[in-house]
Amino acid sequence: MSIKLLIIPVLCVAALIVGLAIGFSVLGDKPVSEVFDIKTWKHMYDLVFAEGG
């Protein structure tokens, strides 16, 4: 029973990681290793939540 409860979240996290890696490397033409760099996500956060004006 516990295996059945854990399989969906594990598959979702795996799909997220694979999707990020493919999208970042194929669409963005960047190395896959940059997906796991905290500076990349800080830059994305700053772009999305920057104050305009």
Side-chain angles (χ1 to χ4, degrees):
M1 180 67 177
S2 63
I3 297 295
K4 289 182 183 179
L5 290 175
L6 289 177
I7 192 104
I8 298 298
V10 169
L11 288 176
C12 287
V13 169
L16 176 69
I17 291 171
V18 170
L20 283 172
I22 291 172
F24 203 75
S25 65
V26 174
L27 297 177
D29 292 327
K30 303 284 184 180
V32 176
S33 61
E34 286 187 18
V35 170
F36 305 107
D37 188 14
I38 192 69
K39 288 184 254 176
T40 302
W41 297 106
K42 172 135 176 43
H43 179 69
M44 296 282 267
Y45 180 85
D46 291 341
L47 287 174
V48 171
F49 295 107
E51 300 257 343

